[in-house]
Coordinates of all heavy atoms in Angstrom, one line a residue:
L936 N -15.5 -23.8 8.3 CA -14.6 -22.5 8.3 C -13.2 -22.9 8.8 O -13.1 -23.4 10.0 CB -15.2 -21.4 9.2 CG -14.5 -20.1 9.1 CD1 -14.5 -19.5 7.8 CD2 -15.1 -19.2 10.2
E937 N -12.2 -22.8 8.0 CA -10.9 -23.1 8.3 C -9.9 -21.9 8.5 O -9.0 -22.0 9.2 CB -10.2 -24.1 7.3 CG -10.9 -25.5 7.3 CD -10.2 -26.4 6.5 OE1 -9.0 -26.1 6.0 OE2 -10.7 -27.5 6.2
E938 N -10.3 -20.8 7.9 CA -9.5 -19.6 8.0 C -10.4 -18.4 8.2 O -11.4 -18.2 7.5 CB -8.7 -19.5 6.7 CG -7.7 -18.3 6.8 CD -6.7 -18.3 5.6 OE1 -6.6 -19.3 4.9 OE2 -6.1 -17.2 5.5
L939 N -10.0 -17.6 9.1 CA -10.8 -16.3 9.4 C -9.8 -15.3 9.6 O -9.0 -15.2 10.5 CB -11.6 -16.6 10.7 CG -12.5 -15.5 11.1 CD1 -13.6 -15.0 10.1 CD2 -13.2 -15.8 12.5
G940 N -10.0 -14.2 8.8 CA -9.1 -13.0 9.0 C -10.0 -11.8 9.2 O -10.9 -11.4 8.4
L941 N -9.8 -11.3 10.4 CA -10.5 -10.1 10.8 C -9.6 -8.9 11.2 O -9.7 -8.1 12.1 CB -11.3 -10.5 12.1 CG -12.4 -11.5 12.0 CD1 -12.9 -11.9 13.3 CD2 -13.6 -11.0 11.1
E942 N -8.6 -8.8 10.3 CA -7.7 -7.7 10.5 C -8.2 -6.3 10.4 O -9.1 -6.1 9.7 CB -6.5 -7.9 9.4 CG -5.7 -9.2 9.4 CD -6.4 -10.2 8.5 OE1 -7.5 -10.0 8.0 OE2 -5.8 -11.3 8.4
S943 N -7.7 -5.4 11.2 CA -8.0 -4.0 11.1 C -9.4 -3.7 11.5 O -10.0 -2.9 10.8 CB -7.5 -3.4 9.8 OG -6.1 -3.6 9.6
N944 N -10.0 -4.4 12.4 CA -11.3 -4.2 12.8 C -11.3 -3.7 14.3 O -10.5 -4.3 15.1 CB -12.2 -5.3 12.7 CG -12.6 -5.7 11.3 OD1 -13.4 -5.0 10.7 ND2 -12.0 -6.7 10.7
P945 N -12.1 -2.7 14.7 CA -12.0 -2.4 16.1 C -12.8 -3.3 17.0 O -13.7 -2.9 17.7 CB -12.6 -1.0 16.1 CG -13.6 -1.0 15.0 CD -12.9 -1.9 13.9
L946 N -12.4 -4.6 17.0 CA -13.1 -5.6 17.7 C -12.9 -5.4 19.3 O -13.8 -5.6 20.1 CB -12.7 -7.0 17.4 CG -13.0 -7.4 16.0 CD1 -12.5 -8.7 15.7 CD2 -14.5 -7.3 15.6
G947 N -11.7 -5.0 19.6 CA -11.4 -5.0 21.1 C -11.4 -6.2 21.8 O -11.6 -7.4 21.1
D948 N -11.2 -6.2 23.1 CA -11.4 -7.5 23.9 C -12.7 -8.2 23.7 O -12.8 -9.4 23.6 CB -11.1 -7.2 25.3 CG -9.6 -6.9 25.6 OD1 -8.8 -7.5 25.0 OD2 -9.4 -6.2 26.6
A949 N -13.8 -7.4 23.7 CA -15.0 -8.0 23.6 C -15.3 -8.7 22.4 O -15.9 -9.9 22.3 CB -16.2 -6.9 23.9
G950 N -14.9 -8.2 21.2 CA -15.0 -8.9 19.9 C -14.2 -10.2 19.9 O -14.7 -11.2 19.4
A951 N -12.9 -10.0 20.4 CA -12.1 -11.2 20.3 C -12.6 -12.3 21.3 O -12.5 -13.5 21.0 CB -10.7 -10.8 20.8
E952 N -13.2 -11.9 22.4 CA -13.8 -12.9 23.3 C -15.0 -13.6 22.6 O -15.3 -14.8 22.8 CB -14.3 -12.2 24.6 CG -13.2 -11.8 25.5 CD -13.5 -11.1 26.7 OE1 -14.4 -10.1 26.5 OE2 -12.9 -11.2 27.8
A953 N -15.8 -12.8 21.8 CA -16.9 -13.4 21.1 C -16.4 -14.5 20.1 O -17.0 -15.5 20.0 CB -17.7 -12.3 20.4
V954 N -15.3 -14.2 19.5 CA -14.7 -15.1 18.5 C -14.2 -16.4 19.4 O -14.4 -17.5 18.9 CB -13.5 -14.5 17.9 CG1 -12.6 -15.6 17.1 CG2 -13.9 -13.4 16.9
A955 N -13.7 -16.2 20.6 CA -13.2 -17.3 21.4 C -14.4 -18.1 21.9 O -14.3 -19.4 22.1 CB -12.5 -16.8 22.6
R956 N -15.6 -17.5 21.9 CA -16.7 -18.3 22.3 C -17.5 -19.0 21.2 O -18.4 -19.7 21.4 CB -17.8 -17.4 23.1 CG -17.4 -16.9 24.5 CD -18.5 -16.2 25.2 NE -19.0 -15.1 24.4 CZ -18.6 -13.8 24.4 NH1 -17.6 -13.5 25.3 NH2 -19.2 -12.9 23.7
A957 N -17.1 -18.8 19.9 CA -17.7 -19.5 18.8 C -17.3 -20.9 18.7 O -16.5 -21.3 17.9 CB -17.3 -18.7 17.5
A958 N -18.0 -21.7 19.5 CA -17.6 -23.1 19.7 C -17.9 -24.0 18.5 O -17.4 -25.1 18.3 CB -18.5 -23.7 20.8
R959 N -18.7 -23.4 17.4 CA -18.9 -24.2 16.2 C -17.6 -24.2 15.3 O -17.5 -25.0 14.5 CB -20.0 -23.6 15.4 CG -21.4 -23.7 16.0 CD -22.3 -23.2 15.0 NE -23.5 -22.9 15.7 CZ -24.6 -22.4 15.1 NH1 -24.6 -22.2 13.8 NH2 -25.7 -22.1 15.7
W960 N -16.7 -23.3 15.6 CA -15.5 -23.3 14.7 C -14.4 -24.3 15.1 O -13.2 -23.9 15.1 CB -15.0 -21.9 14.7 CG -15.9 -20.8 14.1 CD1 -17.0 -21.1 13.2 CD2 -15.9 -19.4 14.2 NE1 -17.7 -19.9 12.9 CE2 -16.9 -18.9 13.5 CE3 -15.0 -18.5 14.8 CZ2 -17.2 -17.5 13.4 CZ3 -15.3 -17.2 14.7 CH2 -16.3 -16.6 14.0
T961 N -14.8 -25.5 15.2 CA -13.8 -26.5 15.6 C -12.8 -26.8 14.5 O -11.8 -27.4 14.8 CB -14.5 -27.8 16.0 OG1 -15.3 -28.3 14.9 CG2 -15.4 -27.6 17.3
R962 N -13.1 -26.5 13.3 CA -12.2 -26.8 12.1 C -11.3 -25.6 11.8 O -10.4 -25.7 10.9 CB -13.0 -27.2 10.9 CG -13.8 -28.4 11.1 CD -14.5 -28.9 9.9 NE -13.6 -29.1 8.8 CZ -13.8 -29.0 7.5 NH1 -15.1 -28.7 7.1 NH2 -12.9 -29.2 6.6
L963 N -11.4 -24.5 12.6 CA -10.5 -23.3 12.3 C -9.0 -23.7 12.5 O -8.7 -24.2 13.4 CB -11.0 -22.2 13.3 CG -10.6 -20.8 13.0 CD1 -11.3 -20.5 11.7 CD2 -11.0 -19.8 14.1
R964 N -8.3 -23.3 11.4 CA -6.9 -23.6 11.4 C -5.9 -22.4 11.5 O -5.0 -22.3 12.0 CB -6.5 -24.3 10.2 CG -7.1 -25.8 10.1 CD -6.8 -26.7 11.2 NE -7.5 -28.0 11.2 CZ -8.5 -28.2 12.0 NH1 -9.0 -27.3 13.0 NH2 -9.1 -29.3 12.0
R965 N -6.6 -21.3 10.9 CA -5.8 -19.9 10.9 C -6.8 -18.8 11.3 O -7.9 -18.8 10.8 CB -5.3 -19.7 9.5 CG -4.2 -20.6 9.0 CD -3.8 -20.5 7.7 NE -4.8 -20.9 6.7 CZ -5.1 -22.1 6.4 NH1 -4.5 -23.1 6.9 NH2 -6.0 -22.4 5.5
L966 N -6.3 -18.1 12.3 CA -7.1 -16.9 12.8 C -6.2 -15.8 12.9 O -5.2 -15.7 13.5 CB -7.7 -17.3 14.2 CG -8.4 -16.2 15.0 CD1 -9.7 -15.8 14.1 CD2 -8.9 -16.8 16.3
S967 N -6.6 -14.6 12.3 CA -5.9 -13.4 12.4 C -6.8 -12.3 13.0 O -7.9 -12.0 12.5 CB -5.4 -12.9 11.0 OG -4.8 -11.7 11.2
L968 N -6.4 -11.9 14.1 CA -7.0 -10.7 14.8 C -6.1 -9.5 14.9 O -6.0 -8.7 15.9 CB -7.5 -11.2 16.2 CG -8.5 -12.3 16.2 CD1 -8.7 -12.7 17.7 CD2 -9.8 -11.8 15.6
R969 N -5.2 -9.4 13.9 CA -4.3 -8.3 13.8 C -4.9 -7.0 13.8 O -5.9 -6.8 13.2 CB -3.4 -8.5 12.6 CG -2.3 -7.6 12.4 CD -1.5 -7.8 11.1 NE -0.5 -6.9 11.1 CZ 0.8 -7.1 10.8 NH1 1.2 -8.4 10.7 NH2 1.6 -6.2 10.8
R970 N -4.3 -6.1 14.6 CA -4.8 -4.6 14.6 C -6.3 -4.6 15.0 O -7.0 -4.0 14.2 CB -4.5 -3.9 13.3 CG -3.0 -3.6 13.1 CD -2.9 -2.8 11.8 NE -3.4 -3.6 10.7 CZ -2.7 -3.9 9.7 NH1 -1.5 -3.5 9.5 NH2 -3.2 -4.7 8.8
N971 N -6.6 -5.1 16.1 CA -8.0 -5.1 16.5 C -8.3 -4.4 17.9 O -9.4 -4.6 18.4 CB -8.6 -6.6 16.6 CG -9.1 -7.1 15.3 OD1 -10.2 -6.8 14.8 ND2 -8.2 -7.8 14.5
M972 N -7.2 -3.8 18.4 CA -7.4 -3.1 19.6 C -7.7 -4.1 20.8 O -8.5 -3.8 21.8 CB -8.4 -2.0 19.6 CG -8.0 -0.9 18.6 SD -9.4 0.2 18.1 CE -10.1 0.7 19.6
A973 N -7.2 -5.3 20.6 CA -7.4 -6.4 21.6 C -6.3 -6.3 22.6 O -5.1 -6.0 22.2 CB -7.6 -7.7 20.9
G974 N -6.5 -6.9 23.8 CA -5.5 -6.9 24.8 C -5.3 -8.3 25.5 O -5.7 -9.3 24.9
S975 N -4.8 -8.3 26.7 CA -4.5 -9.5 27.3 C -5.8 -10.3 27.7 O -5.9 -11.6 27.7 CB -3.7 -9.2 28.6 OG -2.5 -8.8 28.2
R976 N -6.9 -9.6 28.0 CA -8.2 -10.3 28.2 C -8.6 -11.1 27.0 O -9.1 -12.3 27.2 CB -9.2 -9.2 28.5 CG -10.4 -9.8 29.3 CD -11.4 -8.7 29.8 NE -12.3 -8.5 28.7 CZ -12.9 -7.4 28.5 NH1 -12.7 -6.3 29.2 NH2 -13.8 -7.3 27.5
A977 N -8.5 -10.6 25.8 CA -8.7 -11.3 24.6 C -7.9 -12.5 24.4 O -8.2 -13.6 24.1 CB -8.6 -10.4 23.4
A978 N -6.6 -12.4 24.7 CA -5.6 -13.4 24.6 C -5.9 -14.6 25.5 O -5.9 -15.7 25.1 CB -4.2 -12.9 24.8
A979 N -6.4 -14.2 26.7 CA -6.7 -15.2 27.8 C -7.9 -16.0 27.3 O -8.0 -17.2 27.5 CB -6.9 -14.5 29.1
A980 N -8.9 -15.3 26.8 CA -10.1 -16.0 26.2 C -9.8 -16.9 25.1 O -10.4 -18.0 25.1 CB -11.1 -14.9 25.8
L981 N -8.9 -16.5 24.2 CA -8.5 -17.5 23.2 C -7.8 -18.6 23.7 O -8.0 -19.8 23.3 CB -7.7 -16.8 22.2 CG -8.4 -15.6 21.4 CD1 -7.4 -14.8 20.6 CD2 -9.3 -16.3 20.3
A982 N -6.9 -18.4 24.7 CA -6.1 -19.5 25.3 C -7.1 -20.5 26.1 O -6.7 -21.7 26.1 CB -5.1 -18.9 26.3
D983 N -8.2 -20.0 26.5 CA -9.2 -20.9 27.3 C -10.2 -21.6 26.5 O -11.2 -22.1 26.9 CB -9.8 -20.1 28.4 CG -8.8 -19.8 29.5 OD1 -7.8 -20.4 29.7 OD2 -9.1 -18.8 30.3
A984 N -10.1 -21.4 25.1 CA -11.1 -22.0 24.2 C -10.7 -23.3 23.7 O -9.9 -23.4 22.7 CB -11.3 -20.9 23.1
P985 N -11.2 -24.4 24.3 CA -10.8 -25.8 23.9 C -11.2 -26.1 22.4 O -10.4 -26.8 21.8 CB -11.5 -26.7 24.9 CG -12.6 -25.9 25.4 CD -12.2 -24.5 25.4
H986 N -12.2 -25.5 21.9 CA -12.6 -25.8 20.5 C -11.6 -25.2 19.5 O -11.7 -25.5 18.3 CB -14.0 -25.2 20.2 CG -14.1 -23.8 20.4 ND1 -14.4 -23.2 21.7 CD2 -14.1 -22.8 19.6 CE1 -14.4 -22.0 21.6 NE2 -14.3 -21.7 20.3
L987 N -10.7 -24.4 20.0 CA -9.6 -23.9 19.1 C -8.4 -24.7 19.0 O -7.4 -24.2 18.5 CB -9.2 -22.3 19.4 CG -10.5 -21.4 19.3 CD1 -10.0 -20.0 19.8 CD2 -10.9 -21.3 17.9
A988 N -8.5 -25.9 19.5 CA -7.3 -26.8 19.6 C -6.7 -27.1 18.2 O -5.6 -27.5 18.0 CB -7.7 -28.1 20.3
G989 N -7.5 -26.9 17.2 CA -7.0 -27.2 15.8 C -6.2 -26.1 15.2 O -5.7 -26.2 14.1
L990 N -6.2 -24.9 15.9 CA -5.5 -23.8 15.3 C -4.0 -24.1 15.1 O -3.4 -24.7 15.9 CB -5.6 -22.6 16.3 CG -6.7 -21.7 16.1 CD1 -6.5 -20.4 17.1 CD2 -6.9 -21.1 14.7
R991 N -3.5 -23.7 13.9 CA -2.1 -23.8 13.7 C -1.4 -22.5 13.6 O -0.2 -22.4 13.8 CB -1.8 -24.6 12.3 CG -2.4 -26.0 12.4 CD -1.6 -26.8 13.5 NE -2.3 -28.0 13.7 CZ -2.9 -28.4 15.0 NH1 -3.0 -27.4 15.8 NH2 -3.4 -29.5 15.1
R992 N -2.2 -21.5 13.3 CA -1.6 -20.0 13.1 C -2.6 -19.1 13.9 O -3.8 -19.2 13.6 CB -1.4 -19.7 11.7 CG -0.3 -20.5 11.1 CD -0.1 -20.1 9.6 NE 0.8 -21.0 9.0 CZ 2.1 -20.8 8.8 NH1 2.6 -19.6 9.1 NH2 2.8 -21.7 8.2
L993 N -2.0 -18.3 14.6 CA -2.8 -17.2 15.3 C -2.1 -16.0 15.3 O -0.9 -15.9 15.7 CB -3.1 -17.6 16.8 CG -3.7 -16.5 17.7 CD1 -5.1 -16.3 17.2 CD2 -3.7 -17.1 19.2
S994 N -2.6 -14.9 14.8 CA -2.0 -13.6 14.8 C -2.7 -12.6 15.6 O -3.9 -12.4 15.4 CB -1.9 -13.0 13.3 OG -1.4 -11.8 13.4
L995 N -2.0 -12.1 16.6 CA -2.5 -11.0 17.5 C -1.6 -9.8 17.3 O -1.5 -9.0 18.3 CB -2.6 -11.5 18.9 CG -3.7 -12.6 19.2 CD1 -3.6 -13.1 20.6 CD2 -5.1 -11.9 19.1
A996 N -0.9 -9.7 16.2 CA 0.1 -8.7 16.0 C -0.5 -7.3 16.1 O -1.8 -7.2 15.7 CB 0.8 -8.9 14.7
D997 N 0.2 -6.3 16.5 CA -0.3 -4.9 16.6 C -1.5 -4.7 17.4 O -2.4 -4.0 17.1 CB -0.5 -4.5 15.2 CG 0.7 -4.5 14.3 OD1 1.8 -4.1 14.8 OD2 0.6 -4.8 13.2
N998 N -1.5 -5.5 18.6 CA -2.5 -5.3 19.6 C -1.8 -4.9 20.9 O -0.7 -4.7 21.0 CB -3.3 -6.6 19.7 CG -4.4 -6.7 18.6 OD1 -5.3 -6.0 18.5 ND2 -4.2 -7.8 17.8
A999 N -2.6 -4.8 21.9 CA -2.1 -4.5 23.2 C -2.1 -5.6 24.2 O -2.3 -5.5 25.4 CB -3.0 -3.3 23.8
V1000 N -1.6 -6.8 23.7 CA -1.4 -8.0 24.5 C -0.2 -7.8 25.4 O 0.9 -7.5 24.9 CB -1.3 -9.2 23.6 CG1 -1.0 -10.4 24.5 CG2 -2.5 -9.4 22.8
R1001 N -0.4 -7.8 26.7 CA 0.7 -7.7 27.7 C 1.2 -9.0 28.0 O 0.8 -10.0 27.6 CB 0.2 -6.9 28.8 CG -0.4 -5.5 28.5 CD 0.7 -4.5 28.1 NE 0.1 -3.2 27.9 CZ 0.3 -2.5 26.9 NH1 1.0 -3.0 25.9 NH2 -0.3 -1.4 26.7
D1002 N 2.1 -9.0 29.0 CA 2.8 -10.2 29.5 C 1.8 -11.2 30.0 O 1.9 -12.5 29.7 CB 3.7 -9.9 30.7 CG 5.0 -9.2 30.2 OD1 5.3 -9.1 29.1 OD2 5.7 -8.6 31.1
E1003 N 0.7 -10.8 30.7 CA -0.2 -11.9 31.2 C -0.9 -12.5 30.1 O -1.3 -13.7 30.2 CB -1.1 -11.3 32.2 CG -2.1 -10.1 31.8 CD -1.5 -8.7 32.0 OE1 -0.2 -8.6 32.2 OE2 -2.2 -7.8 31.7
G1004 N -1.2 -11.8 29.0 CA -1.9 -12.4 27.9 C -0.9 -13.4 27.1 O -1.4 -14.4 26.7
A1005 N 0.3 -13.0 27.0 CA 1.3 -13.8 26.3 C 1.5 -15.0 27.2 O 1.7 -16.1 26.6 CB 2.6 -13.1 26.1
E1006 N 1.6 -15.0 28.4 CA 1.7 -16.1 29.3 C 0.5 -17.0 29.3 O 0.7 -18.3 29.2 CB 1.9 -15.6 30.8 CG 3.3 -14.9 31.0 CD 3.4 -14.3 32.3 OE1 2.5 -14.3 33.2 OE2 4.5 -13.6 32.5
A1007 N -0.7 -16.5 29.1 CA -1.9 -17.4 29.0 C -1.8 -18.1 27.7 O -2.1 -19.4 27.7 CB -3.2 -16.6 29.1
L1008 N -1.3 -17.5 26.6 CA -1.3 -18.2 25.4 C -0.2 -19.3 25.4 O -0.4 -20.4 24.9 CB -0.9 -17.2 24.3 CG -2.0 -16.2 23.8 CD1 -1.5 -15.0 23.0 CD2 -3.1 -16.9 23.2
A1009 N 0.9 -18.9 26.0 CA 2.0 -19.9 26.1 C 1.7 -21.1 26.9 O 2.1 -22.2 26.6 CB 3.2 -19.3 26.7
A1010 N 0.9 -20.9 27.9 CA 0.5 -22.0 28.8 C -0.7 -22.8 28.3 O -1.0 -23.8 28.9 CB 0.3 -21.5 30.2
S1011 N -1.4 -22.4 27.3 CA -2.6 -23.0 26.8 C -2.4 -24.3 26.2 O -1.6 -24.5 25.3 CB -3.3 -22.1 25.8 OG -4.4 -22.8 25.2
L1012 N -3.0 -25.4 26.8 CA -3.0 -26.7 26.2 C -3.8 -26.8 24.9 O -3.4 -27.5 24.1 CB -3.6 -27.8 27.2 CG -2.7 -27.9 28.6 CD1 -3.5 -28.8 29.5 CD2 -1.4 -28.3 28.2
S1013 N -4.9 -25.9 24.9 CA -5.7 -25.9 23.7 C -5.0 -25.4 22.4 O -5.2 -25.7 21.4 CB -7.0 -25.0 23.9 OG -7.7 -25.6 24.9
L1014 N -4.0 -24.5 22.7 CA -3.2 -23.9 21.6 C -1.8 -24.4 21.4 O -1.0 -23.8 20.8 CB -3.2 -22.4 21.8 CG -4.5 -21.7 21.8 CD1 -4.4 -20.1 22.0 CD2 -5.4 -21.9 20.6
A1015 N -1.6 -25.6 22.0 CA -0.3 -26.2 22.0 C 0.1 -26.6 20.5 O 1.4 -26.7 20.3 CB -0.2 -27.5 22.8
G1016 N -0.8 -26.6 19.6 CA -0.4 -27.0 18.2 C -0.1 -25.8 17.3 O 0.2 -26.0 16.1
L1017 N 0.0 -24.6 17.9 CA 0.4 -23.4 17.1 C 1.8 -23.5 16.6 O 2.7 -24.0 17.3 CB 0.3 -22.1 17.9 CG -1.2 -21.7 18.3 CD1 -1.1 -20.5 19.2 CD2 -2.0 -21.5 17.0
E1018 N 2.0 -23.1 15.4 CA 3.3 -23.3 14.7 C 4.1 -21.9 15.0 O 3.5 -20.8 15.2 CB 3.1 -23.4 13.2 CG 2.5 -24.7 12.9 CD 2.1 -24.9 11.4 OE1 2.3 -23.8 10.6 OE2 1.8 -26.0 11.0

């Protein structure tokens, strides 16, 4: 699986965290969680997922990610390859 689009689903933080725990998705290059009612907890879980190191594009647009979530994403070594 290289691309996963889960836009406009009410996943919330719990659903996004489940995506972050999906360690089999090591080939994932594009992930969209746009409009999923996710917040900073979800962003932090994604930032802490080493198997997502191959991601090149991540969309969390139209969610409730606050400063702490954005900071976790920006500091993530696993997501350093995002474009």
Side-chain angles (χ1 to χ4, degrees):
L936 182 65
E937 291 187 12
E938 185 169 346
L939 181 60
L941 296 171
E942 300 89 356
S943 301
N944 286 290
L946 298 177
D948 284 332
E952 288 172 322
V954 170
R956 288 190 306 269
R959 289 190 201 178
W960 294 344
T961 58
R962 296 184 60 208
L963 200 60
R964 299 297 174 256
R965 290 174 294 283
L966 174 61
S967 178
L968 296 171
R969 183 181 179 127
R970 286 183 301 237
N971 274 280
M972 299 167 45
S975 292
R976 201 174 89 208
L981 293 165
D983 289 337
H986 60 278
L987 295 179
L990 272 184
R991 296 299 166 253
R992 295 181 187 257
L993 172 64
S994 177
L995 290 169
D997 301 319
N998 282 296
V1000 176
R1001 303 283 184 238
D1002 289 346
E1003 61 272 13
E1006 289 168 4
L1008 292 169
S1011 173
L1012 296 178
S1013 297
L1014 300 180
L1017 290 177
E1018 298 174 349

